[in-house]
Amino acid sequence: MTQEITVVLPFSGELFGKVKNANLAVQAKESDDLGEVAAAAQSQNKLAAILLSTSKLELPAGLQPRSAPVSLYLETAGRFLDYAVRVNEFAGAPVRFYFPATPGNAVAVRLLSSLGVKAGLDLRGENTDWDAACELLHYDAYGKMPHEPIEPFASAYLQHGSSTYCEAYLERAGKYVHCDEAGNLANSRRELADRVYIGTLDGLSGLDVAAQAAAARKRELSVFMKLEGCSVCPGYKVCARKNPAQKMEACGCKDFMTALLEAAREVNLRKGER
Amino acid sequence: MKLTIIFKPTERCNSNCAYCDVISKPLTPDMSDEMLELVFRRMGEFLALKPENKINLVWHGGEPLMLGPDYFRKALEIQTRHCGADSSRIRHKIQSNLTLFGEEFVEPLRALGVKDIGTSFEPVPNVRGFGPGRDSAAYAGKFLDAVASLEKHGFGWNYIYVATKKSLPKAAELYYFLTNLSNARSVMVNPVIITGEDVHGLAITPGEFADFLGEFFKLWWRGRDKFNHIQPFMEYVDMYTGVSLSRVCTTSGNCAYSHMYIGPDGSASHCGRAADCHIVSYGNIKDMSLNDVMDHELRRKFIGRDAVLKTGECKGCRFWEICHGDCPLGAYEVYGDSHHKYEWGCEFRKLFLEKYFEPVSGLRYEPKEH
């Protein structure tokens, strides 16, 4: 391993035993696990983040006040009336709520962020509604209403929109590796599911991260074989096909990525003016 | 003072670009070891004679990587022997199509101090490519592999896009392609120069190039902070805002003081264009020092060009400081005499600046002298 990398792995004592002095982002199984995750991960490693898929918009039962940042993935926010009374708790917690990009969820994210809650859209789904994402982006970048920064837009703004937005989901070859229950490693969650492995957790210390990043760059460059599709997209600089779920050309992301690049530019210009 | 030597140790090339005649014309054999030795001996003499000077040695071709990695190692060994401590005043640059670049070139190029590689690329099919069928897909594959390798090893890269007739209908696509492709610090867009018959119908007019570049400019100006530097746009912005005056050899008006060409057999000329078109010969470095080449009486004609044009063909032109009558070799090709403006460049520049650059940017050039 030639540079600092974060391993995104399931909560498992067996897996934790295989790594030492590593940065870990742990996928908890249950809301109650969070305290246990923190204790186990921090005994020999550094806990960088906790991820949890859940079905209800609420704070995890095991959440510690000084916890590592927690990303909660939900399918839907549900009815506002059902969680309205808990919004104040959400606002102060080290938790960000992520939802698939649907029109309803985009409205929920807008609402939550305006109430001081950290929220975002997960743009990695195959059914991502890019128009809904675009509308939310306009609210975030150009809206007058004070609100919490929304992900993954905030990540995209960080470097003037230079393909950083997927870091909000801990996806970036060379910076994060994803590990399954069996200890296989892949460059992204999608490649892990597709069994495109780059090594195993046992061999983590020997993993050539720079070579992985170079291989990823080579795959990225393959779009430039032709003068069409992603290679000529006005939004390519912010996208760079870093989203592991994104399909080339046909997914309708062009307008969104173009708007995201423009928004990154605008937001940074405004920062510069201040 | 910086002397730029366009250094062509080989005329061989592995590509068959439609606008280049290098693979079809009789070639001078590659530079011999003895001649390579002489080149560095001459450079050593020049640097000893001119302690304030530096040399940019631009490896050109043909395709310089066809010489293989050992050739570059040999060059470094010879340079160390002949130039000693003065080697620190030599900067090696290389212009390559990259399709032969591999791991084996990393160490020798790095040892020569090469940090950036200049290249060029063409996404429009069958303009650049290998073999008689001009296989552009194979070419693109090799090129992109090389880019990944360059970046992995920390080399920078800049590239030139050569606009041809086939580029014209695809200006917006090409703009995004070129700016998306690279982490390159700059992209330079040049018009194709056809020497001889235009067998593939690639030549473009000054108006066509101005319109093509104008489309690029409209896209670039609005988002210029998020896209790469594009030349000549940055150059014009610098000139218009008073940051600097023209620097590119074709428009600087200074090339007679700064450029020379050395070919595989030691022949010396003014620059790559002068040598390729066989229009200026200063002799051979077998018989003369680099200082003799720079002091050659034929250069006086180039040196006197500014004064002639300023009071003649270019008198009153508000773009004089930006253009200087454009490339003297271009004028030489047309008139057999460099004391004319290069009409093609002049017409293009005026059209582009007046029709696109000034209206889109809101800037207006007011000459400081003339």
Side-chain angles (χ1 to χ4, degrees):
Chain A
M1 200 161 62
T2 49
Q3 69 185 64
E4 191 84 336
I5 196 159
T6 297
V7 185
V8 184
L9 77 179
F11 177 40
S12 149
E14 192 187 340
L15 293 177
F16 282 19
K18 293 180 177 181
V19 282
K20 263 188 186 175
N21 304 320
N23 287 333
L24 302 183
V26 181
Q27 294 154 328
K29 292 184 181 74
E30 302 290 340
S31 157
D32 296 340
D33 290 345
L34 263 58
E36 210 182 326
V37 164
Q42 284 168 333
S43 66
Q44 296 193 97
N45 297 285
K46 190 178 159 201
L47 182 62
I50 300 173
L51 300 95
L52 176 66
S53 292
T54 182
S55 57
K56 199 171 173 195
L57 187 60
E58 61 183 12
L59 292 182
L63 182 71
Q64 312 288 310
R66 298 168 73 91
S67 165
V70 178
S71 297
L72 283 182
Y73 286 88
L74 296 100
E75 280 305 309
T76 173
R79 291 193 322 152
F80 178 66
L81 285 178
D82 293 339
Y83 60 80
V85 292
R86 294 195 296 272
V87 160
N88 281 345
E89 292 169 39
F90 299 165
V95 172
R96 183 173 293 276
F97 299 96
Y98 282 102
F99 306 92
T102 64
N105 285 337
V107 171
V109 170
R110 178 193 293 220
L111 185 61
L112 286 166
S113 71
S114 69
L115 294 168
V117 179
K118 293 185 272 296
L121 291 180
D122 185 351
L123 301 177
R124 293 171 297 173
E126 293 196 359
N127 297 319
T128 291
D129 186 319
W130 295 104
D131 289 341
C134 210
E135 210 163 298
L136 185 64
L137 169 67
H138 277 85
Y139 165 78
D140 186 53
Y142 308 107
K144 302 284 184 207
M145 170 74 81
H147 62 277
E148 272 292 309
I150 295 171
E151 289 290 9
F153 313 142
S155 291
Y157 304 155
L158 279 178
Q159 293 176 36
H160 289 248
S162 56
S163 66
T164 51
Y165 81 94
C166 280
E167 288 194 40
Y169 319 125
L170 312 187
E171 301 268 18
R172 182 174 177 180
K175 187 166 179 184
Y176 299 99
V177 289
H178 295 252
C179 178
D180 66 11
E181 296 275 0
N184 298 302
L185 299 179
N187 269 323
S188 68
R189 193 181 67 162
R190 164 57 65 97
E191 288 187 357
L192 196 63
D194 291 346
R195 300 181 179 188
V196 183
Y197 302 135
I198 57 170
T200 63
L201 199 58
D202 295 318
L204 181 66
S205 59
L207 193 66
D208 188 345
V209 179
Q212 290 305 324
R217 173 70 173 146
K218 203 166 166 174
R219 286 193 294 277
E220 187 183 306
L221 284 168
S222 66
V223 302
F224 295 99
M225 288 294 291
K226 289 187 174 169
L227 185 65
E228 62 187 29
C230 297
S231 75
V232 300
C233 174
Y236 179 83
K237 273 200 182 293
V238 73
C239 158
R241 301 199 70 227
K242 290 284 197 292
N243 186 341
Q246 216 173 316
K247 296 254 189 329
M248 196 168 168
E249 296 170 35
C251 79
C253 51
K254 178 179 164 183
D255 290 346
F256 170 77
M257 292 300 172
T258 305
L260 182 55
L261 183 58
E262 183 61 22
R265 178 176 162 269
E266 286 285 335
V267 168
N268 283 290
L269 277 178
R270 286 204 299 265
K271 270 188 206 162
E273 282 164 9
R274 271 188 223 134
Chain B
M1 163 88 189
K2 217 177 258 178
L3 168 64
T4 295
I5 302 177
I6 308 299
F7 178 51
K8 192 181 279 201
T10 184
E11 290 182 346
R12 290 182 295 132
C13 188
N14 61 330
S15 181
N16 177 21
C17 302
Y19 44 72
C20 178
D21 61 353
V22 74
I23 68 157
S24 59
K25 69 180 185 186
L27 299 183
T28 309
D30 287 354
M31 184 172 280
S32 65
D33 289 0
E34 293 73 27
M35 182 54 72
L36 187 64
E37 185 103 21
L38 182 61
V39 169
F40 283 98
R41 184 147 66 83
R42 294 291 190 225
M43 285 167 55
E45 291 164 2
F46 182 82
L47 290 169
L49 185 70
K50 310 254 183 190
E52 75 287 2
N53 276 32
K54 292 178 179 175
I55 292 177
N56 279 337
L57 189 72
V58 185
W59 292 71
H60 224 280
E63 169 47 50
L65 298 188
M66 289 203 77
L67 295 163
D70 285 342
Y71 198 90
F72 294 94
R73 289 192 186 97
K74 194 160 45 188
L76 179 61
E77 183 270 317
I78 295 171
Q79 174 183 292
T80 308
R81 258 192 294 116
H82 287 293
C83 304
D86 289 335
S87 295
S88 63
R89 288 191 280 139
I90 301 171
R91 187 167 169 210
H92 290 263
K93 297 182 170 189
I94 184 163
Q95 187 69 29
S96 162
N97 68 32
L98 288 184
T99 58
L100 294 170
F101 183 84
E103 302 282 319
E104 68 277 18
F105 283 102
V106 171
E107 171 268 317
L109 292 182
R110 201 172 266 160
L112 276 173
V114 174
K115 292 190 176 78
D116 300 287
I117 297 189
T119 187
S120 49
F121 187 58
E122 173 58 85
V124 176
N126 305 112
V127 176
R128 297 175 76 101
F130 300 134
R134 212 165 278 118
D135 183 350
S136 48
Y139 184 104
K142 296 263 185 203
F143 175 84
L144 295 170
D145 282 354
V147 164
S149 182
L150 279 182
E151 292 180 355
K152 176 182 162 193
H153 291 288
F155 285 100
W157 60 288
N158 303 301
Y159 66 106
I160 294 170
Y161 179 72
V162 179
T164 71
K165 194 73 128 190
K166 291 190 177 182
S167 319
L168 303 180
K170 300 171 188 289
E173 291 102 311
L174 282 165
Y175 173 80
Y176 286 117
F177 185 99
L178 296 174
T179 52
N180 285 342
L181 167 61
S182 74
N183 299 323
R185 286 173 201 138
S186 69
V187 180
M188 178 178 273
V189 186
N190 285 342
V192 68
I193 294 172
I194 306 284
T195 51
E197 198 188 343
D198 182 19
V199 288
H200 301 288
L202 297 175
I204 54 176
T205 65
E208 286 172 333
F209 187 52
D211 288 343
F212 177 77
L213 219 50
E215 290 305 306
F216 266 49
F217 187 69
K218 284 188 246 172
L219 295 167
W220 181 80
W221 180 256
R222 167 99 179 87
R224 61 195 182 279
D225 50 344
K226 69 186 175 199
F227 292 120
N228 316 57
H229 284 189
I230 292 188
Q231 295 296 13
F233 304 155
M234 279 308 294
E235 186 188 331
Y236 293 148
V237 170
D238 285 353
M239 288 175 202
Y240 271 65
T241 54
V243 173
S244 67
L245 289 178
S246 58
R247 295 155 300 178
V248 177
C249 65
T250 50
T251 56
S252 68
N254 284 325
C255 65
Y257 298 102
S258 60
H259 279 66
M260 76 162 70
Y261 162 91
I262 299 175
D265 58 355
S267 56
S269 180
H270 192 81
C271 63
R273 187 171 188 176
D276 288 347
C277 301
H278 306 286
I279 49 180
V280 181
S281 171
Y282 294 139
N284 194 297
I285 62 163
K286 284 180 199 163
D287 315 312
M288 60 202 304
S289 69
L290 299 193
N291 200 44
D292 292 338
V293 176
M294 292 310 290
D295 275 348
H296 197 282
E297 60 175 350
L298 286 178
R299 273 190 195 265
R300 288 183 204 137
K301 183 89 178 174
F302 289 106
I303 289 168
R305 182 178 185 247
D306 259 24
V308 172
L309 293 187
K310 215 169 158 180
T311 53
E313 290 177 9
C314 300
K315 189 177 179 185
C317 176
R318 76 179 169 102
F319 299 120
W320 164 255
E321 289 161 319
I322 294 175
C323 174
H324 294 103
D326 206 286
C327 178
L329 282 310
Y332 204 111
E333 268 184 276
V334 177
Y335 298 104
D337 178 0
S338 64
H339 281 195
H340 291 277
K341 63 182 178 183
Y342 176 42
E343 293 278 3
W344 199 104
C346 169
E347 189 183 339
F348 147 70
R349 194 160 289 103
K350 267 189 191 159
L351 278 170
F352 173 71
L353 293 174
E354 289 180 337
K355 188 173 172 186
Y356 296 102
F357 187 88
E358 292 190 344
V360 172
S361 69
L363 299 168
R364 184 178 158 82
Y365 192 76
E366 295 301 342
K368 291 171 189 62
E369 52 165 322
H370 205 64

